[in-house]
Every structure is written in C-alpha cells, then in structure tokens.
Amino acid sequence: MTTCIQAPQQRAGGPVIVHVEFEVFGGVQGVHFTKYCKEMCDRFELKGWTKPSPYGTVLGIIQGEKGNVDEMAMWLQHQGSPGSRIEHCELRNWRIVEKCDYRNFSVRF
C-alpha cells in the first residue's frame, strides 16, 4: 500500500522534512539493491538506512526534503538496481518531522 503525504514543499522555516519507512518485494536481493539504494539516497541528500531482510525483501527508512523523498519513492517502486525485479514497494508511516534523526544514509546488515 502506497500512501503519500500531501504537504507543501516549503514551509516558513525552510523545506518540509518527511520520514517514510519502506519495504521492497520481488527479486531485490543478490542484485546490489542496497548499494544502489544508498547511492541514490546520497544523490538526493537523504538520510536513513536500508538492509536486506531475512524474508527476501529490502527494508529501510528515508528522511529528507519532501521532493527528494518523493523522487526516491518513485525509484523504489519502479526502477531499482540493475537486474532487480520489483513486484511492489510498501511505503508506510509517512510523516512530517522537524529534523532528520540520522546523519547520513547507511547500509545495514
């Protein structure tokens, strides 16, 4: 289930910062999905983490400017790493936050 938060891109104090949790299903392990996910998040200046799950999915949290998080959500849902086969991506717990909880984006194991 994909639910996107409808929020303005800017607010009085600066850009809107959002948080979203994700889980990607399909052929996403053994194809460097987490590595490419980190590269894309670094490109979009996003914070959080990603890791392979024991169930064959990829999990993670993304935080950052709403427009950049929206772009990353599209990548997770439709593109992925070369060789990956995305069946679907669940984006959960969208919310606006005051600031990011993470200093960078990392791959966890």
Side-chain angles (χ1 to χ4, degrees), residues 12-46:
V16 172
I17 306 299
V18 296
H19 164 106
V20 65
E21 299 165 16
F22 67 88
E23 185 169 11
V24 185
F25 297 80
V28 292
Q29 289 193 4
V31 291
H32 304 286
F33 195 94
T34 56
K35 173 186 171 274
Y36 280 90
C37 183
K38 179 186 176 358
E39 287 177 6
M40 292 301 295
C41 285
D42 288 346
R43 183 180 301 167
F44 288 123
E45 299 179 350
L46 300 173

Side-chain angles (χ1 to χ4, degrees), residues 1-4 22-25 33 69-80 84-91 94:
M1 179 167 135
T2 303
T3 305
C4 183
F22 67 88
E23 185 169 11
V24 185
F25 297 80
F33 195 94
V69 172
D70 288 344
E71 289 290 327
M72 189 61 199
M74 294 297 290
W75 185 89
L76 289 167
Q77 292 173 305
H78 302 292
Q79 185 174 345
S84 66
R85 183 185 42 79
I86 298 170
E87 290 177 7
H88 71 281
C89 175
E90 293 182 4
L91 300 165
W94 283 89

